[in-house]
Amino acid sequence: MRTYPIYRDIRKGAVIWGLPLSLFALLMVSVIASLLIIIFSFGVGPILGLLLWNGAFYTGLARWQGHRPTLGTNFPKHIHNKKQNLLHHVQY
């Protein structure tokens, strides 16, 4: 019979790009503000500066949160809906 490992990290908070939702929302506010500045400025300098700012801001938030800044997937390998047994006499 095939056995499956139990995924126990289900209570961890949601993470997008290695950031919790509140910090990800802050990053998106920065990106949208940068886009508004890029739309109304007609130089290459501000565009490159804002790209560097957003990259440094993301890296800083990710390091401050303690996550490695990666753009890979954060989904678990296995998801199950098995109910937790409150009687601890059964082995999993």
Side-chain angles (χ1 to χ4, degrees):
M1 186 167 137
R2 188 170 182 180
T3 60
Y4 297 98
I6 296 173
Y7 180 67
R8 296 190 186 273
D9 294 333
I10 198 75
R11 289 185 178 89
K12 284 187 177 179
V15 176
I16 302 174
W17 288 357
L19 297 173
L21 291 180
S22 59
L23 293 180
F24 180 75
L26 185 64
L27 179 68
M28 287 300 111
V29 168
S30 173
V31 168
I32 291 170
S34 298
L35 287 174
L36 286 172
I37 293 171
I38 288 172
I39 288 171
F40 293 112
S41 68
F42 299 106
V44 178
I47 294 172
L48 293 177
L50 289 172
L51 286 174
L52 289 174
W53 160 254
N54 284 323
F57 190 54
Y58 168 70
T59 305
L61 286 176
R63 288 190 184 209
W64 179 57
Q65 193 59 29
H67 293 103
R68 202 175 58 212
T70 60
L71 297 177
T73 179
N74 289 321
F75 292 110
K77 292 180 183 175
H78 304 287
I79 297 175
H80 68 90
N81 59 355
K82 181 180 177 183
K83 293 188 182 228
Q84 294 293 329
N85 189 357
L86 297 176
L87 304 173
H88 297 288
H89 69 278
V90 178
Q91 282 195 351
Y92 296 108

